[in-house]
Amino acid sequence: MNILTTQKVSYGLYVISSWHDGKATGCIANAVMQVTAEPAIMAIGIHHDNFTHACIKKTGKFAISILAEDSDPSLIGTFGFKSGRDADKFDGVGHSIFGNLPVVNDGCGYILCDVIDVAETPTHSVFFGKITDAETFGDRKPMTYAYYHEVIKGKSPEKAPTHIAEAAAPQKKARKFRCKVCGYEYEGESLPDDIVCPICGVGADEFEEV
């Protein structure tokens, strides 16, 4: 079986946000879809261990910030490779409050939802949310998961629904250097001394050749 066939299914890239004791928090997700139009219902898949999962369970609300192809890649590092238990992810990130939910400004728009049902899998909860508000920001092109992998060269966070272990992926014979923090890969003859990971912002000392 070629598990990589699942990557042919179209995905976007999103910041899912909610609240914890009055503080905004969130995580990266790609398992987001519209379920019905009337009534307008969305579904999102969030790992049980994600801090945002517990926050959505408690508040019964979540926001979907739709990332654009030209969104700052550091947003993925901040929301995808850090835990809200240890870091204030919205600190220094431009955001607004709409319908009493935090929304990332650097994106295509947002969708706000009230949770109406939850389905459980062994690792993830699928939250079904009734849309309470939605808006677009200009005419920006949404980032697809394929764009994230092929252009930005990013990897799936370990708790993402689409995470595939390295052993399952076909290996290419090329010199690569991988960020040990977020999995971003740089290809070249050598690793520049002044490289800064575009996803999580670490320097050359956090890269390893693979």
Side-chain angles (χ1 to χ4, degrees):
M1 179 175 69
N2 183 3
I3 192 61
L4 295 185
T5 305
T6 59
Q7 294 183 351
K8 301 299 183 182
V9 179
S10 178
Y11 300 94
L13 212 61
Y14 313 90
V15 173
I16 307 299
S17 54
S18 193
W19 295 104
H20 173 67
D21 293 339
K23 185 173 74 172
T25 191
C27 66
I28 289 289
N30 67 330
V32 174
M33 63 175 289
Q34 182 176 353
V35 180
T36 60
E38 292 292 341
I41 295 173
M42 302 293 294
I44 61 171
I46 305 295
H47 197 286
H48 294 154
D49 292 342
N50 276 359
F51 185 60
T52 304
H53 178 279
C55 297
I56 295 173
K57 281 268 192 179
K58 183 176 180 179
T59 64
K61 297 177 181 293
F62 62 86
I64 303 168
S65 295
I66 306 165
L67 297 185
E69 286 187 354
D70 58 351
S71 293
D72 189 335
S74 68
L75 289 170
I76 300 168
T78 296
F79 288 97
F81 295 92
K82 297 179 182 178
S83 172
R85 296 182 180 90
D86 309 317
D88 181 355
K89 295 187 180 183
F90 277 89
D91 183 30
V93 172
H95 64 283
S96 303
I97 306 299
F98 295 104
N100 201 32
L101 281 167
V103 170
V104 173
N105 293 337
D106 186 10
C108 298
Y110 67 86
I111 302 171
L112 310 183
C113 295
D114 288 342
V115 176
I116 59 171
D117 205 352
V118 184
E120 298 295 346
T121 77
T123 57
H124 290 69
S125 293
V126 180
F127 294 98
F128 295 90
K130 182 178 180 180
I131 297 177
T132 59
D133 189 20
E135 193 55 75
T136 58
F137 298 150
D139 188 25
R140 302 172 72 181
K141 190 173 182 180
M143 184 187 299
T144 65
Y145 209 47
Y147 184 92
Y148 172 61
H149 280 290
E150 296 169 9
V151 179
I152 298 180
K153 303 294 185 183
K155 298 297 179 183
S156 303
E158 187 175 349
K159 296 175 183 176
T162 53
H163 174 74
I164 297 172
E166 290 296 323
Q171 301 299 310
K172 297 179 180 179
K173 293 183 178 180
R175 195 171 187 201
K176 293 183 180 179
F177 302 87
R178 180 180 298 132
C179 175
K180 292 184 286 186
V181 176
C182 71
Y184 167 80
E185 290 185 351
Y186 173 86
E187 295 186 24
E189 294 183 3
S190 61
L191 184 70
D193 293 336
D194 59 351
I195 189 171
V196 175
C197 177
I199 303 298
C200 66
V202 299
D205 58 337
E206 292 294 337
F207 279 75
E208 60 183 358
E209 187 167 3
V210 292

